Amino acid sequence: MLKHRFISPSVVHFESPDRDTICGWRYAAGRIPQGTPQPFVRSIIAAVEKLGSRLNSNSIPKLVIGMNAILDSLSLHEVFLSENINWNEVLFIHYCETLNDKSTQQRTRLQEWAASEKIYKELVRAGAIPSDTSIPSGTVRGGCSEDALAPIGFERKILETPMTLSDLLPKKSLIAEGLELDDEEFIEKLKNRLESGTLTIFELLNDYWDSMCRCHQTGQDLMQRVPVEELTQRISSGDFFYKDMHLAHPDSPDGISWFLRATHYYAFVTYKLDLLNFNSISGLPFFTKLFEIPGITDRIFEKLVDVCGVDAPPFKARNKQPTEMISRLLGLLSKRDCGVACCILTIENPSFTADSITNADLYSQNGKFYVKARTLHRRLVFSVSKPRARKRKISLLSSVSAKVITDIIRSTSEIRARQKHYNKANWRKLFLLSSRKKLGSISRLSTAIGAGSGITLYNLFKDKLKSEKIDKGSFNLSSLRTTQAIICFLTHGSLKRVADLLNNTIQTVKKDYIPIWLIIYWGNRILRSLQQKFIVVATEGSPWQLEASDFLDAASLRKFIDKTLRELKHGDAFSEMIRDRLGKYSDNPKMTEPFINSELIIPMNSQALTVLYAYSDVVSENKSESSGVAYQDRETISDPQIRSIANLIRQCNYLADSELSEAEYAILSKISGDSLMQFQRMHLLATENAKELSLIFRKRLPKIEQREGC
């Protein structure tokens, strides 16, 4: 619950409970300029409180910044001294000044105005501002601005206006590439680019996580050398030396084992150690004499790095902070480790939003476990909360996700017990970590991924990410989730499948997850393809045909001509012109014949579907046919076409009548016939029987997977 209290006549504090802070509260200070009417002050404070109660707690500081910006602008222009206030002019001036402020970055300006815009709208609803006031929008609808929901690798390039001949861009920068490709091949190329980037990120994250787990095990093995009983005896006796050398000295036998065991004992048994750094550790009885030795901190740090080996966490040579090194050997998580876990879980479970996974709870308020085992699939189930939707998102975890969740539970168990001992509300959270400032939880894990300072994940993986054209701005949880949605859309072409993947509605998918630039990109491809047909036909026989077209070499131009000839229609005047001028390039005269529409009749019964499913599962991809360059007899069906038919029929099983578009409903009606329920029963039976028939195909027809096509 967001509340406010006045610290002074000119300062108001907004307070909200926050279990991630040490004190349990989050504060944001608002400034009240002198001369602001009290009714307006009460209205704007009420607007911030109302908005803050609906939005995420991380949005409250942004709202207060927006409130301060509004009051500063009104005070600067002495708005309240005027008897007749022109609110349209006031808001427009504030809008222009905010967006033209070059002292801050563009993203910061847009965020500030977005917060101010929300408050202005709330003031209009409350009657503090006339209802006919026009509130400018800071949202760009043209599809050219950076979007928080853009996929990985997406970026905007601002091109300078050429002033001289040397400033002119090469042809490659001015054309639409890929026009010679068939639509399926073009989509596959776009999808492969996104999948390649995602796979690279996933491999880097997995390697990082495996390295972290190995270091956890190294620390456990070292601590096993020193029994807890022996440590407690030494602490009770006050004797911390062996042969005139401190037990935890790096040069002492098992010195680093004693260091880790004692640190663990004070942090998670007696709870006398609050921070894992040298300053806090040096004040403990066991370590007092050790840290009196000159240069001992450097020696201990070097020994910690040595025992971690290649699995040591990254650190800056100038700033040798021991917290993350000690934490990793004690089996604890750092902020960066939690960021890696969030990325893996987001990629494998796109139904988890960035906010929901970073602020996920492991236990309910009643102490119930949110991780459950599903015996039917022998897999774990985990759910996260979406406060604005007022429901939980459930996901069936893969083996990788299940391992990550299991590792997190193990690595946070001791901090969880400590927080529970101190009655801290954050003991229920999934991510509990060790940092330089505290042992507990943190809300903004995103700063460890790409947007923060220090050694972020992007800085750690920078070279390999740049090779995939993934920049810092597009490396975040939202981009990873959106990428999975777009890959699903390009693979299946169904908004329903994307909605199921994200656990959202189709309306939300249309609005937020099919980006405007993708629609513009596809529309531009259609328009440029038509333009190229005009250009190629008009310049046929001219020496400048290649230079005038959108193709960099003669092979691409020839491929486009072949594609154009295959797509010719019957009775179209332009098609006849293309056939007359470009038909000579066809190796097969039948290729230029008009395409005749026809129908394929498939008996819809379980036996026919069984054969179709089994055959499509065992035949391999034929690259020469999928490219669409080679001519194929139109009275036969190729293996890729058979696979496409089988895939189309299978997808119909996922469609729901209540959420069908007109196109999807037409396809479903054509395939399922009069009874959708009967079709679904046939599909399930055929799917089961196809598994056995596939084995028979492979056994009795051993060369079926290398078929050259029908």
Side-chain angles (χ1 to χ4, degrees):
M1 181 65 182
L2 182 62
K3 300 185 297 183
H4 78 278
R5 61 187 177 93
F6 281 92
I7 304 300
S8 68
S10 60
V11 178
V12 58
H13 266 193
F14 291 91
E15 304 171 352
S16 60
D18 189 346
R19 53 185 176 166
D20 295 322
T21 60
I22 296 175
C23 63
W25 291 84
R26 176 174 294 194
Y27 301 94
R31 301 185 303 273
I32 311 296
Q34 188 176 5
T36 307
Q38 286 303 309
F40 190 84
V41 172
R42 289 193 293 270
S43 296
I44 198 169
I45 289 176
V48 172
E49 287 184 335
K50 192 171 183 179
L51 289 168
S53 62
R54 294 202 305 258
L55 300 176
N56 188 289
S57 60
N58 293 329
S59 302
I60 294 173
K62 298 177 183 178
L63 289 173
V64 176
I65 291 174
M67 185 193 83
N68 291 337
I70 291 174
L71 294 176
D72 289 344
S73 178
L74 297 178
S75 175
L76 177 65
H77 298 287
E78 300 180 343
V79 171
F80 294 112
L81 296 181
S82 175
E83 295 182 0
N84 298 318
I85 302 175
N86 186 343
W87 282 102
N88 286 321
E89 182 180 344
V90 170
L91 266 64
F92 184 73
I93 291 174
H94 182 197
Y95 173 74
C96 292
E97 289 178 344
T98 301
L99 298 188
N100 290 326
D101 183 8
K102 301 300 183 181
S103 63
T104 58
Q105 295 183 353
Q106 181 190 21
R107 186 184 296 272
T108 304
R109 283 175 266 160
L110 291 174
Q111 289 177 348
E112 180 182 314
W113 179 255
S116 299
E117 183 183 349
K118 289 186 177 74
I119 296 173
Y120 277 130
K121 289 179 179 178
E122 200 61 43
L123 290 173
V124 169
R125 295 189 189 101
I129 292 177
S131 58
D132 60 348
T133 303
S134 177
I135 303 175
S137 174
T139 304
V140 179
R141 296 294 183 186
C144 299
S145 65
E146 291 94 343
D147 187 356
L149 297 178
I152 56 172
F154 172 79
E155 61 177 336
R156 181 182 62 170
K157 293 183 179 179
I158 301 176
L159 302 178
E160 299 292 339
T161 303
M163 305 301 292
T164 64
L165 288 176
S166 60
D167 295 334
L168 292 175
L169 295 170
K171 181 179 179 181
K172 181 179 176 64
S173 302
L174 304 174
I175 64 174
E177 294 185 275
L179 296 179
E180 73 277 8
L181 303 176
D182 286 331
D183 289 347
E184 294 81 2
E185 191 177 356
F186 178 79
I187 291 174
E188 189 70 20
K189 187 176 180 181
L190 179 60
K191 186 182 73 170
N192 288 342
R193 178 185 170 188
L194 295 175
E195 287 179 336
S196 175
T198 303
L199 181 61
T200 299
I201 292 173
F202 193 70
E203 289 175 348
L204 292 170
L205 295 171
N206 265 321
D207 291 344
Y208 180 102
W209 193 260
D210 291 341
S211 175
M212 180 202 74
C213 290
R214 287 195 301 269
C215 197
H216 285 183
Q217 187 59 48
T218 299
Q220 292 299 313
D221 294 341
L222 288 170
M223 285 194 291
Q224 290 296 327
R225 299 178 184 178
V226 179
V228 179
E229 295 78 11
E230 187 175 350
L231 174 65
T232 55
Q233 289 175 5
R234 290 282 186 173
I235 293 175
S236 299
S237 64
D239 181 13
F240 308 131
F241 288 82
Y242 176 75
K243 293 183 179 180
D244 297 329
M245 182 176 287
H246 197 283
L247 292 169
H249 194 284
D251 296 334
S252 174
D254 294 329
I256 205 66
S257 298
W258 279 96
F259 179 86
L260 293 174
R261 174 58 76 186
T263 303
H264 179 273
Y265 177 80
Y266 282 115
F268 301 112
V269 178
T270 65
Y271 299 146
K272 292 181 179 179
L273 180 62
D274 295 326
L275 298 174
L276 299 182
N277 57 49
F278 287 149
N279 287 336
S280 299
I281 293 173
S282 63
L284 299 170
F286 183 86
F287 294 105
T288 304
K289 295 294 184 181
L290 174 66
F291 280 87
E292 291 177 355
I293 302 173
I296 192 63
T297 55
D298 289 339
R299 290 285 297 112
I300 294 175
F301 188 85
E302 291 171 1
K303 189 66 176 180
L304 290 172
V305 174
D306 183 55
V307 297
C308 288
V310 295
D311 298 323
F315 62 91
K316 293 182 178 180
R318 296 179 181 177
N319 186 18
K320 297 180 180 180
Q321 291 289 343
T323 300
E324 190 172 358
M325 202 76 64
I326 297 172
S327 299
R328 181 166 288 195
L329 287 169
L330 293 181
L332 308 178
L333 299 178
S334 68
K335 187 177 180 180
R336 194 187 309 106
D337 299 338
C338 295
V340 170
C342 287
C343 290
I344 293 176
L345 293 173
T346 299
I347 292 174
E348 292 230 308
N349 308 273
S351 60
F352 298 160
T353 64
D355 285 337
S356 64
I357 190 60
T358 54
N359 294 300
D361 287 330
L362 184 61
Y363 291 89
S364 68
Q365 292 182 349
N366 297 327
K368 293 183 179 180
F369 210 32
Y370 279 132
V371 178
K372 301 183 183 299
R374 182 168 290 184
T375 55
L376 179 62
H377 300 90
R378 295 181 178 274
R379 290 167 68 180
L380 294 179
V381 177
F382 185 61
S383 64
V384 297
S385 174
K386 288 193 71 177
R388 285 184 295 176
R390 296 184 179 180
K391 59 182 179 181
R392 299 193 66 81
K393 299 293 186 181
I394 301 173
S395 182
L396 196 65
L397 300 180
S398 67
S399 57
V400 176
S401 296
K403 179 184 181 301
V404 170
I405 290 289
T406 305
D407 291 338
I408 292 171
I409 294 172
R410 170 182 51 79
S411 300
T412 58
S413 59
E414 292 181 320
I415 298 182
R416 197 176 308 281
R418 177 190 173 98
Q419 298 302 91
K420 201 171 182 180
H421 172 78
Y422 285 116
N423 294 320
K424 296 287 187 179
N426 62 1
W427 74 269
R428 298 189 297 110
K429 294 197 70 172
L430 174 64
F431 292 109
L432 297 175
L433 51 86
S434 169
S435 68
R436 289 186 295 120
K437 296 182 179 180
K438 62 178 177 178
L439 291 169
S441 63
I442 190 169
S443 58
R444 298 190 63 192
L445 290 175
S446 58
T447 55
I449 298 174
S453 57
I455 306 176
T456 62
L457 289 178
Y458 182 82
N459 293 334
L460 203 58
F461 305 147
K462 190 173 183 178
D463 294 337
K464 292 188 177 180
L465 292 179
K466 279 193 170 182
S467 67
E468 292 290 338
K469 298 181 179 179
I470 300 173
D471 65 342
K472 185 176 182 179
S474 67
F475 184 60
N476 54 66
L477 295 178
S478 296
S479 294
L480 292 174
R481 184 169 184 254
T482 303
T483 302
Q484 296 301 99
I486 295 177
I487 290 174
C488 179
F489 180 69
L490 295 176
T491 302
H492 302 289
S494 170
L495 293 175
K496 178 65 169 59
R497 291 293 290 267
V498 180
D500 290 342
L501 178 73
L502 300 180
N503 212 335
N504 279 118
T505 63
I506 289 181
Q507 289 76 14
T508 302
V509 169
K510 284 182 180 179
K511 177 176 176 290
D512 294 329
Y513 293 99
I514 306 301
I516 297 175
W517 66 262
L518 183 60
I519 299 172
I520 294 175
Y521 195 39
W522 188 255
N524 182 63
R525 171 179 166 81
I526 296 173
L527 179 61
R528 293 296 285 261
S529 294
L530 180 60
Q531 291 173 344
Q532 293 312 301
K533 290 178 183 179
F534 289 142
I535 291 172
V536 171
V537 170
T539 58
E540 171 56 27
S542 302
W544 54 80
Q545 184 182 51
L546 180 61
E547 288 300 321
S549 68
D550 269 12
F551 305 102
L552 299 175
D553 52 64
S556 298
L557 175 59
R558 176 60 186 274
K559 192 174 181 180
F560 176 77
I561 293 174
D562 290 342
K563 170 175 169 275
T564 302
L565 292 173
R566 289 197 310 274
E567 295 173 348
L568 292 180
K569 296 182 179 180
H570 182 61
D572 180 4
F574 186 51
S575 295
E576 294 299 327
M577 184 181 295
I578 294 174
R579 188 176 293 109
D580 291 340
R581 296 198 179 187
L582 305 179
K584 60 186 177 183
Y585 293 106
S586 174
D587 296 331
N588 193 325
K590 289 186 177 181
M591 181 182 287
T592 60
E593 293 179 0
F595 181 78
I596 301 174
N597 290 326
S598 58
E599 290 190 355
L600 175 67
I601 300 176
I602 301 175
M604 294 300 290
N605 54 60
S606 59
Q607 292 83 4
L609 290 182
T610 298
V611 175
L612 181 64
Y613 290 171
Y615 184 83
S616 65
D617 287 340
V618 297
V619 291
S620 61
E621 289 284 350
N622 191 321
K623 300 298 182 183
S624 62
E625 289 181 0
S626 63
S627 65
V629 176
Y631 172 75
Q632 177 190 321
D633 187 354
R634 288 168 178 159
E635 295 181 358
T636 63
I637 301 177
S638 66
D639 287 346
Q641 290 171 334
I642 292 175
R643 282 191 297 275
S644 296
I645 294 170
N647 189 40
L648 177 63
I649 295 175
R650 281 169 164 161
Q651 287 195 46
C652 286
N653 184 56
Y654 295 99
L655 298 177
D657 287 298
S658 59
E659 297 182 343
L660 290 181
S661 65
E662 292 183 4
E664 289 173 330
Y665 183 79
I667 295 172
L668 181 61
S669 300
K670 199 79 172 177
I671 291 177
S672 65
D674 297 331
S675 175
L676 177 61
M677 188 177 296
Q678 183 179 357
F679 164 74
Q680 290 175 331
R681 283 199 296 265
M682 288 190 300
H683 167 77
L684 290 175
L685 182 60
T687 301
E688 289 297 321
N689 294 338
K691 297 176 183 178
E692 298 180 5
L693 188 57
S694 299
L695 298 176
I696 296 174
F697 277 162
R698 290 190 176 96
K699 183 177 180 181
R700 297 190 179 181
L701 303 172
K703 294 184 179 180
I704 191 172
E705 296 180 351
Q706 289 81 36
R707 264 172 41 90
E708 293 298 328
C710 293

